[in-house]
Amino acid sequence: MPTTVRRSTRTLPLAPLGPENPLPALLPLDEAHTLEESERAALPPQMARQVGYGPLRTVLPTRVLDGYGRRRAPATLETVVLENDRLRVTVQPGLGGRIASLFHKPTGRELLYVNPVFQPADFALNGAWYSGGVEWNIGATGHTTLSCAPLHAVRVPAPGGDGAMVRLWEWERLRDTPFQVDLWLPDESDFLYVGVRIRNPHHRTVPVYWWSNIAVPEEETTRVLVPAEETWYFAYERRLRRIPVPEWQGADLTYPLHSRFPADYFYEVPDGARRWIASLDEKGQGLVQTSTDLLRGRKLFVWGAGPGGRRWQQWLTEPGTPGYAEIQAGLARTQLEHVPLEAGGEFSWLEAYGPLAADPAAVHGADWARARSHTGKRLEAALPRTTVDAAYTAWLSCADTEPEGEWLATGSGWGALEVERGGFALPGTPFPAAALGAAQQPWLHLLRTGTLPGSAGDQPPGPTLVAGEWRELLESAHPAQGSSGSELDYHLGVAQWHAGDRSQAVRSWERSLGHPGGRGPTWPALRCLAVADRQDGHPARAAERYLAAVRDARARLDAATPAGRAALGALAREAVEALLDAGRPDDAAEVLDGLPDAEAQRGRCRLLRARVLLARGETAAARAVFDGDFEVEDLREGEEVLNATWEALTDDPLPARYDFRMRP
């Protein structure tokens, strides 16, 4: 059959994403993939430079997604399906452009781990993420802020006129870098081709991060093969160690379930060697991924066989579902690194995904050199390296092809706003003005008039743009007619904070509180000042400001609206943490008591209630909260608050339902 591209749908149990958190993310969520300065000193020079380059101070201008729950109901997702006579590829453009399924028709095999549910969890840089399929991680160390966001998608001609190609693209907002992902299936090909391009349209160098993350079935006999004899081992103790492949400390770690705890293995693929990684079962069958040489890194992530890793596997799907491991490919050796992309430059490469069948005796034999050599030869026979290089050259000639006809999906309006501001020419990836929406309108008004409209008094302020060019516009802006300068100063403070100018940010927020009239909301600036106080080691002042912010927000926000309710809940959760830190559990209890019922019943608030009770010496009541069996919907990867609170309550063993520990 000729290659086809069509719209389709996928119905599955789904937990809604819920509203965005309206509070600006002045601090990054706790990211486990960081390294102490003393650890960096022992690394190879280039790796050490890239580990220390372009660290993320905040996830601004994106907003945190933490409004999801754990209650799922059948729902339909829009998909795009590419198909030839060998493969059927299902893509979810509305959820990060992820490949949800890669089905090999001749063998009837699904090559990926396909999650039977959509269950957000707190793994992305800005919160919500979900497991399964192939995701495109761009921006900074961690899962992309676009994990659950829509991408633009169109149908364009494939290289050489060989059928149709699906183009996905968006504006990545952490680094302000547009990118595209082109997917196509040559006729009679067993391999999906993926062309990727990241562009820097600015007059400055930007830090870039990319890892293609592939979820594959995890079975006792599954082995991950890669052309390497060493790997950089990184686990949740935050140490980076160079160890041999495949065996270390008496275990063959190329089998995912041989690891006890969750861990990353970043392989040292020798210079000049072909870049590939494969996951093969007991029959020597499975998925292989290969690429052109620019995508140098290869990685295995495992959940491990311990109770914490197994609990996380259950958390991300539903009971009875098999687990998964991740094989990955990236621009650097490790995911702790960012790579500089020069002004006006671009990175581009080609990836290929498809089935591989190898001799199981060779794959699973004790001779690692033979196992990887044999697998590499089977890949070469199935898809020669020269074929991949030629496909990359052919794709480059049409990477700028302008979309024509009907769009398959529409992303956000942020790219259109940036193109309007910067006048960027980005052939092949248009960001049309028609995509501009309500979130972009105040900033479009600022760009065109030099004034910034305010928000409705019973709703939280809209998102803040923080790039240097927008900060300069804010510095010279005026309030729109009918609004005070309070909200303008608030936004300016957020942009200054993001730039690292914290003293100026504090001045702007203090100025926001002092505008004539005194009738506007003070809680947005008070909350920001409280965050600054906690960072600067002033817990008592932070507690006072948080308490004042909560009281002002209660009087002003409309709790019947999703945004108002989300703001009240998020503000209360932060305030309780600060009040506990300041030794004021009674005030913390008062904050929790004032929440709307829907927010008070969320798992995070129930956990905070237990911590408040514990701080007041009411141990039995705190234990009763745990005995009531709650779930912290937004539990963060690597977060240890559940087991730490339990250990403060009792010497009893931690119940399995609360055991998410990712390290010994």
Side-chain angles (χ1 to χ4, degrees):
M1 63 178 286
T3 300
T4 61
V5 173
R6 69 180 189 277
R7 281 197 180 93
S8 187
T9 59
R10 182 182 177 215
T11 301
L12 72 169
L14 180 147
L17 277 172
E20 295 178 328
N21 185 327
L23 308 186
L26 300 179
L27 304 174
L29 301 181
D30 182 29
E31 175 51 56
H33 294 83
T34 57
L35 205 60
E36 298 294 335
E37 185 67 35
S38 58
E39 292 282 322
R40 295 214 307 258
L43 300 178
Q46 183 191 44
M47 186 190 296
R49 285 194 301 272
Q50 293 183 167
V51 166
Y53 173 59
L56 204 64
R57 287 190 291 263
T58 76
V59 294
L60 292 167
T62 65
R63 284 184 154 181
V64 170
L65 296 173
D66 58 8
Y68 50 85
R70 302 278 304 165
R71 185 172 297 174
R72 299 187 288 266
T76 299
L77 296 176
E78 299 293 327
T79 64
V80 173
V81 177
L82 298 83
E83 189 168 7
N84 67 3
D85 57 346
R86 313 290 292 177
L87 288 172
R88 183 167 61 247
V89 185
T90 303
V91 182
Q92 296 177 166
L95 290 168
R98 188 174 304 200
I99 298 174
S101 169
L102 185 60
F103 184 77
H104 188 234
K105 294 157 73 172
T107 59
R109 290 175 60 91
E110 173 58 58
L111 301 179
L112 304 174
Y113 166 77
V114 177
N115 196 334
V117 305
F118 175 74
Q119 177 56 65
D122 194 359
F123 279 70
L125 287 166
N126 64 334
W129 172 87
Y130 63 104
S131 64
V134 182
E135 62 176 308
W136 319 111
N137 284 316
I138 181 173
T141 298
H143 294 282
T144 176
T145 61
L146 295 166
S147 292
C148 295
L151 270 57
H152 301 288
V154 295
R155 183 190 292 108
V156 294
D162 191 9
M165 177 167 68
V166 172
R167 173 164 298 160
L168 304 161
W169 76 98
E170 246 302 350
W171 190 280
E172 198 289 309
R173 301 178 68 208
L174 296 183
R175 308 299 195 183
D176 278 327
T177 48
F179 71 99
Q180 73 187 77
V181 178
D182 289 353
L183 313 170
W184 80 99
L185 293 169
D187 286 348
E188 301 182 353
S189 173
D190 284 298
F191 284 83
L192 168 70
Y193 288 174
V194 181
V196 182
R197 177 166 61 170
I198 304 171
R199 290 191 270 199
N200 176 11
H202 307 289
H203 297 295
R204 62 181 184 277
T205 300
V206 297
V208 167
Y209 174 94
W210 182 280
W211 283 81
S212 301
N213 186 355
I214 310 145
V216 291
E218 171 205 67
E219 300 171 356
E220 188 67 41
T221 55
T222 297
R223 192 178 205 187
V224 172
L225 299 107
V226 64
E229 296 180 350
E230 292 182 308
T231 183
W232 292 92
Y233 167 76
F234 185 79
Y236 288 81
E237 300 93 334
R238 303 191 182 189
R239 290 184 59 201
L240 191 64
R241 287 175 279 183
R242 197 168 186 163
I243 65 172
V245 178
E247 288 195 11
W248 186 56
Q249 295 183 344
D252 185 335
L253 299 176
T254 58
Y255 291 88
L257 285 172
H258 287 190
S259 292
R260 175 67 175 165
F261 289 94
D264 298 328
Y265 300 93
F266 300 106
Y267 295 104
E268 274 285 356
V269 179
D271 291 341
R274 186 174 185 182
R275 311 288 172 176
W276 60 267
I277 189 167
S279 174
L280 305 180
D281 64 14
E282 73 280 359
K283 297 178 181 179
Q285 299 178 347
L287 172 79
V288 65
Q289 186 270 1
T290 187
S291 71
T292 48
D293 289 349
L294 182 69
L295 203 66
R296 64 166 298 170
R298 292 298 184 275
K299 172 196 165 182
L300 166 65
F301 167 76
V302 299
W303 284 109
R310 306 332 296 167
R311 183 70 180 99
W312 274 114
Q313 292 265 34
Q314 297 166 7
W315 184 256
L316 296 171
T317 181
E318 61 184 5
T321 302
Y324 72 95
E326 294 171 358
I327 57 175
Q328 304 186 26
L331 282 174
R333 279 188 181 96
T334 73
Q335 290 175 337
L336 285 69
E337 301 170 66
H338 299 116
V339 181
L341 177 57
E342 64 183 12
E346 66 179 50
F347 289 142
S348 64
W349 63 89
L350 185 90
E351 303 180 46
Y353 297 77
L356 193 67
D359 178 2
V363 168
H364 296 286
D367 188 338
W368 173 245
R370 180 180 177 232
R372 67 177 192 268
S373 174
H374 170 77
T375 306
K377 289 176 182 177
R378 295 300 302 146
L379 168 61
E380 187 65 21
L383 184 67
R385 187 176 186 176
T386 54
T387 300
V388 173
D389 291 339
Y392 171 62
T393 301
W395 169 70
L396 282 179
S397 67
C398 61
D400 285 348
T401 302
E402 294 293 347
E404 296 180 358
E406 184 183 11
W407 285 35
L408 299 170
T410 302
S412 77
W414 296 114
L417 182 66
E418 293 299 333
V419 168
E420 172 82 9
R421 183 197 58 75
F424 303 122
L426 300 167
T429 55
F431 291 94
L436 291 164
Q440 291 83 43
Q441 290 305 319
W443 300 94
L444 189 64
H445 193 274
L446 171 64
L447 184 64
R448 292 175 174 174
T449 69
T451 63
L452 185 69
S455 57
D458 63 349
Q459 294 296 302
T464 305
L465 296 187
V466 295
E469 296 84 355
W470 290 106
R471 188 176 70 251
E472 290 174 4
L473 287 171
L474 285 170
E475 287 169 347
S476 58
H478 302 283
Q481 187 174 4
S483 63
S484 74
S486 176
E487 189 167 333
L488 176 59
D489 282 325
Y490 156 79
H491 285 297
L492 177 57
V494 173
Q496 290 166 332
W497 178 275
H498 175 265
D501 194 349
R502 297 194 172 188
S503 59
Q504 280 291 80
V506 167
R507 292 189 189 97
S508 294
W509 292 326
E510 289 174 339
R511 191 167 58 247
S512 174
L513 298 176
H515 278 272
R519 293 186 298 272
T522 58
W523 69 265
L526 281 169
R527 177 263 175 180
C528 291
L529 288 167
V531 172
D533 285 335
R534 291 195 80 191
Q535 285 292 102
D536 292 340
H538 302 298
R541 192 166 66 198
E544 282 295 332
R545 280 174 162 164
Y546 264 122
L547 202 54
V550 167
R551 290 167 178 166
D552 184 64
R554 281 182 190 164
R556 298 179 184 278
L557 291 176
D558 184 356
T561 65
R565 187 168 59 250
L568 288 168
L571 184 58
R573 293 191 297 271
E574 288 187 14
V576 170
E577 294 276 4
L579 289 162
L580 287 174
D581 187 36
R584 297 172 61 174
D586 291 341
D587 287 325
E590 186 267 328
V591 169
L592 289 174
D593 290 342
L595 279 172
D597 286 345
E599 287 297 319
Q601 291 305 311
R602 287 181 62 83
R604 178 68 64 175
C605 289
R606 293 178 68 185
L607 174 60
L608 287 170
R609 177 72 70 180
R611 292 174 59 197
V612 168
L613 291 167
L614 183 62
R616 294 168 75 170
E618 300 176 43
T619 305
R623 173 65 184 262
V625 175
F626 275 81
D627 292 342
D629 192 16
F630 63 94
E631 294 182 316
V632 180
E633 300 92 343
D634 62 338
L635 190 70
R636 184 71 176 164
E637 174 191 12
E639 187 177 2
E640 298 184 349
V641 64
L642 276 172
N643 54 284
T645 306
W646 178 265
E647 288 162 9
L649 281 171
T650 177
D651 292 331
D652 292 346
L654 180 67
R657 66 185 182 275
Y658 298 129
D659 191 353
F660 293 87
R661 290 173 291 188
M662 300 181 77
R663 59 177 178 168

